[in-house]
Amino acid sequence: MKYVGQLLPDAVIALQKQKTKFVIEYTIPPEKGFFKVDSNILYVIREKYLENGVLQLLAAAKMRKEV
């Protein structure tokens, strides 16, 4: 799990430099969900290799702080 916890743009840059094939999937909370998120800041929360050898990254938005 080399990329889990990293900002998505940082992980993408690293993978492009290594010329690794990858796809990105996104997960979002329900529209009227309990958690507030900042959709401009995405983190990698899961990675796995697919059967065809492509790395799949799952990205989620950062949760906002409640004040």
Side-chain angles (χ1 to χ4, degrees):
M1 291 206 233
K2 187 174 181 180
Y3 302 102
V4 172
Q6 288 188 17
L7 286 168
L8 182 61
D10 294 343
V12 168
I13 290 169
L15 288 164
Q16 288 174 338
K17 284 182 181 178
Q18 297 171 16
K19 297 183 179 173
T20 302
K21 292 184 181 181
F22 65 94
V23 294
I24 303 170
E25 297 288 326
Y26 299 90
T27 182
I28 57 172
E31 287 184 32
K32 295 183 179 182
F34 178 75
F35 300 106
K36 306 272 188 229
V37 296
D38 186 347
S39 59
N40 296 321
I41 303 174
L42 297 171
Y43 284 92
V44 177
I45 61 169
R46 186 181 73 193
E47 64 182 74
K48 71 176 183 177
Y49 280 93
L50 303 175
E51 291 178 10
N52 59 2
V54 174
L55 179 64
Q56 179 187 51
L57 302 176
L58 180 63
K62 179 182 178 189
M63 290 178 54
R64 292 187 197 165
K65 293 184 179 179
E66 295 293 324
V67 182

